[in-house]
Amino acid sequence: MAVGSDIVTPELVGKHQFDELLDPSFDATHYAHELVRSRDTMELKADKISSIMTDLSATSSSLDARMRATVLGTHEQILEQVLGVASVDVTLEQVEDQVREIKQYMHALRTKIRVPYEQALEYTRQARNLQLATRHVRATSKFMQLVRRLAVQIPESGGRPDYALAALTLVDIERLVDTSDLCGIDVVDRALATEVTPRRQQTANEANEMLVGGMRRQHQSDVGSGLQILFNLGIISNAVDTRIQASIAALHTIITGRIDPRALHIGVREHNARATAIDGRDMVGIDTILWTRLEDMIDAVLASGLEVRVLERVLQRKRDVLRVDARVDASYLDLVASKLGDRVLALWWTKVVDTIAREIHASCDESSVVRQILTNNYPRLVQLFLPRLEPLLAARLGGVTSVRDLQSSVAS
């Protein structure tokens, strides 16, 4: 039988020599066999076994006494601990009751605060949607009023269209559609497709026709009417730039290659081939064709320049009289010049003079005959430009004040 070391005191071990019995490797069966096989007499073996059993019995009785004394000594403490545990249980139950009450209070508080808050949020969302719908309805109603006004200003049949006021209405419609996000509304999309877009195109075409026709006829009233419509549409700068670039492109087509030496020789051959006089009096040389074509070039430049000059004159005189937010001291020319970077006639003149100078330089570089003709007849070249372009240059518009600019370009 093994005896645990946790219940045997050191005093007992020292007194009864239980070290062997307390060893962890102690084997009771092996110990009994060794005791039986020992050389001692039977009486000594019996006495030894009896002594060991007596000591073990005494030790067991001592341990029982100690356990009893320990239990009796700690009885009060154990009872106090049991009472403490019971008190803790009561306290925990009280805490649980308080937590339960707090939860009930928080639930009631949520019902009183969160539910009205959520309802307020829902009412706010509904009010916002109602406000947005009202705004769209108001914008749609205003859009339809503007469309009806546009139909009155540009009637489909009968009546005289007022394109200037119609242009303002078109701008108001575009601004309203852009700011109010009316795309996707059936009545708006249908009106835009059938009423607004065709009339806008009609208004822009009419303005361009007035502008081009007035420039060609030198009719300032038509030019002013066209510019007014384009200004009201908000596209005057682009329209004027398009008109200037078209004029420059047309002159470039006329001037480029006009006095090319090969073209001059071809012109001489064609003219002389058509000559009918027997004595050859109607036959010409390269100088005649050269001066004739230079005259044609200057005539084309003068005609186009007069159109641009009347355009700039009207731009200088026109001011916005329909918009209340317009600057009284700002002319259409100021607006256009700020977008194009220069006055209209100056911009046109710079490009045209550059084209003429390049053509003359190229012809002179390619043919010494042409260079000799122009050099020997330089006064005639100057007189060719002076009388013809003086009506254009005397206008003193756009910085073009003298023929010396053109004269210096040709001379160089």
Side-chain angles (χ1 to χ4, degrees):
M1 147 181 229
V3 180
S5 61
D6 55 340
I7 60 175
V8 180
T9 62
E11 295 80 0
L12 290 177
V13 174
K15 181 179 179 181
H16 300 287
Q17 301 295 323
F18 287 155
D19 291 342
E20 184 178 4
L21 298 179
L22 296 177
D23 191 285
S25 61
F26 175 73
D27 186 358
T29 304
H30 178 71
Y31 181 79
H33 285 295
E34 290 293 331
L35 185 63
V36 171
R37 289 196 300 267
S38 64
R39 297 181 182 275
D40 297 334
T41 60
M42 294 298 298
E43 290 78 4
L44 291 175
K45 294 179 179 179
D47 293 341
K48 189 175 182 177
I49 291 172
S50 177
S51 175
I52 291 173
M53 294 300 296
T54 301
D55 292 339
L56 289 174
S57 176
T59 302
S60 177
S61 300
S62 176
L63 289 175
D64 291 339
R66 285 176 175 274
M67 292 178 62
R68 188 179 300 104
T70 301
V71 171
L72 292 176
T74 59
H75 176 71
E76 295 297 332
Q77 295 180 357
I78 293 174
L79 290 178
E80 291 179 357
Q81 291 178 358
V82 171
L83 293 177
V85 171
S87 176
V88 169
D89 290 340
V90 174
T91 303
L92 289 176
E93 291 179 357
Q94 293 177 353
V95 171
E96 289 178 355
D97 294 338
Q98 293 177 358
V99 170
R100 192 178 301 107
E101 292 178 359
I102 292 174
K103 289 182 177 179
Q104 294 176 354
Y105 174 77
M106 293 301 296
H107 180 74
L109 187 64
R110 174 184 177 277
T111 304
K112 291 181 179 180
I113 296 179
R114 183 174 180 178
V115 173
Y117 174 73
E118 292 177 349
Q119 292 178 349
L121 288 180
E122 179 65 20
Y123 295 152
T124 303
R125 185 184 64 81
Q126 295 176 358
R128 188 183 300 110
N129 294 338
L130 181 61
Q131 183 180 9
L132 183 62
T134 304
R135 188 183 300 116
H136 277 80
V137 171
R138 187 182 297 113
T140 304
S141 176
K142 185 178 180 180
F143 172 83
M144 297 308 300
Q145 292 177 1
L146 292 174
V147 171
R148 287 192 292 269
R149 183 195 303 174
L150 181 63
V152 173
Q153 294 168 346
I154 307 179
E156 293 184 357
S157 61
R160 183 177 180 180
D162 190 344
Y163 291 107
L165 292 179
L168 291 176
T169 303
L170 286 168
V171 172
D172 291 338
I173 290 175
E174 292 177 356
R175 186 182 299 113
L176 179 63
V177 172
D178 293 338
T179 56
S180 301
D181 190 19
L182 298 180
C183 296
I185 301 177
D186 183 66
V187 64
V188 174
D189 293 340
R190 186 168 57 252
L192 286 173
T194 60
E195 301 288 340
V196 178
T197 302
R199 283 182 168 84
R200 177 179 177 80
Q201 188 64 38
Q202 179 182 350
T203 302
N205 292 340
E206 185 67 22
N208 287 324
E209 290 177 3
M210 289 183 181
L211 180 61
V212 175
M215 291 173 60
R216 186 181 302 111
R217 297 187 303 269
Q218 298 290 295
H219 197 288
Q220 296 189 15
S221 179
D222 289 346
V223 175
S225 298
L227 290 176
Q228 183 67 59
I229 297 172
L230 294 172
F231 178 82
N232 292 345
L233 285 175
I235 59 174
I236 185 172
S237 298
N238 294 334
V240 171
D241 182 55
T242 301
R243 192 68 225 131
I244 296 302
Q245 296 303 327
S247 176
I248 294 173
L251 287 176
H252 185 271
T253 303
I254 295 173
I255 296 172
T256 302
R258 188 67 176 171
I259 58 175
D260 181 73
R262 290 184 295 273
L264 293 176
H265 286 294
I266 293 174
V268 170
R269 288 196 302 267
E270 291 177 351
H271 183 276
N272 291 337
R274 293 192 300 267
T276 57
I278 298 176
D279 56 0
R281 288 176 303 182
D282 54 353
M283 297 183 69
V284 298
I286 190 174
D287 56 340
T288 303
I289 299 298
L290 174 60
W291 292 112
T292 301
R293 293 194 175 188
L294 284 174
E295 290 176 1
D296 294 340
M297 287 169 49
I298 298 306
D299 289 339
V301 171
L302 177 60
S304 181
L306 291 176
E307 293 180 2
V308 177
R309 185 185 68 173
V310 72
L311 173 62
E312 180 160 304
R313 282 182 174 178
V314 178
L315 285 171
Q316 180 65 43
R317 295 172 183 173
K318 286 290 293 184
R319 281 171 170 76
D320 186 11
V321 296
L322 294 179
R323 294 182 183 273
V324 296
D325 58 343
R327 295 181 300 166
V328 179
D329 59 339
S331 65
Y332 288 3
L333 183 60
D334 297 329
L335 175 63
V336 173
S338 65
K339 297 294 181 63
L340 302 184
D342 202 349
R343 296 165 68 91
V344 174
L345 188 56
L347 178 64
W348 174 89
W349 175 257
T350 302
K351 298 292 183 64
V352 172
V353 169
D354 183 63
T355 303
I356 295 175
R358 283 203 311 270
E359 184 65 19
I360 294 177
H361 290 163
S363 181
C364 292
D365 292 341
E366 189 173 347
S367 174
S368 59
V369 176
V370 175
R371 176 183 293 274
Q372 184 178 3
I373 293 173
L374 295 179
T375 303
N376 295 338
N377 298 275
Y378 179 71
R380 180 180 177 181
L381 179 62
V382 174
Q383 290 300 318
L384 176 64
F385 285 95
L386 271 173
R388 293 176 181 271
L389 297 182
E390 186 65 25
L392 173 63
L393 302 178
R396 298 180 180 275
L397 294 175
V400 183
T401 59
S402 174
V403 295
R404 294 189 182 90
D405 297 333
L406 181 57
Q407 183 178 346
S408 60
S409 297
V410 174
S412 61

